[in-house]
Amino acid sequence: MSDDCLFCKITAGKMDTEFVYEDSDLVAFKDINPMAPVHILIVPKKHIPTINDLKKTDTVLVGEMIQIAKRIAKEQNIADEGYRLVFNCGKMGGQEVDHLHLHLLGGRQMKWPAG
Ligand code: AMP
Ligand code: ZN
């Protein structure tokens, strides 16, 4: 837990954020500024700033994040039509919140290359 980290506060239940999923290691909630009809963030409770900070021992956690994204995509009825999973990393990667999170985006046609 980092005291000045927004996502640490959210994952600890200190904000009024409604979770679409929660277990002992992860939460998922709707992005406050959605970029698609479905835009959900899958966020570990552990404070890991970026992908660059991942340790070998975080491998299972990251796998779980993807498994939960898959499950939520099915619940949101976008699994069959397709969706996008995104980790932004650092300034040039467009990361604004320095607490690891996986974006689940769907419900519209995605473009490539991403902007
Ligand atoms: P990133 O640019 O990858 O760091 O993504 C951070 C995301 O967090 C952005 O899409 C924001 O819209 C989202 N966000 C910021 N504050 C909140 C909040 N309080 N609740 C939900 N999503 C948020
Ligand atoms: Zn944090």
Side-chain angles (χ1 to χ4, degrees):
M1 169 101 188
S2 173
D3 284 342
D4 55 355
C5 172
L6 173 64
F7 282 6
C8 277
K9 288 185 187 127
I10 289 177
T11 58
K14 292 181 178 167
M15 309 290 276
D16 253 356
T17 310
E18 190 179 329
F19 297 150
V20 299
Y21 176 85
E22 181 175 17
D23 66 25
S24 55
D25 298 319
L26 301 169
V27 301
F29 50 88
K30 289 184 180 168
D31 196 291
I32 203 167
N33 183 23
M35 294 293 154
V38 176
H39 188 173
I40 290 170
L41 303 175
I42 296 95
V43 187
K45 292 183 175 178
K46 179 180 173 186
H47 181 79
I48 301 168
T50 80
I51 286 277
N52 285 340
D53 301 297
L54 283 176
K55 301 194 163 56
K56 187 84 177 162
T57 49
D58 296 318
T59 302
V60 171
L61 179 66
V62 174
E64 279 300 317
M65 291 172 75
I66 296 169
Q67 292 286 356
I68 294 309
K70 173 188 127 180
R71 173 176 157 167
I72 295 170
K74 196 165 169 57
E75 286 168 3
Q76 298 281 328
N77 294 314
I78 57 170
D80 290 343
E81 65 192 28
Y83 53 90
R84 182 168 288 169
L85 299 181
V86 177
F87 283 105
N88 293 326
C89 180
K91 189 161 178 270
M92 292 284 269
Q95 185 175 6
E96 290 174 359
V97 177
D98 284 342
H99 178 128
L100 192 70
H101 50 279
L102 176 60
H103 295 258
L104 165 62
L105 295 143
R108 68 166 169 84
Q109 180 62 55
M110 296 295 153
K111 299 185 182 101
W112 192 260

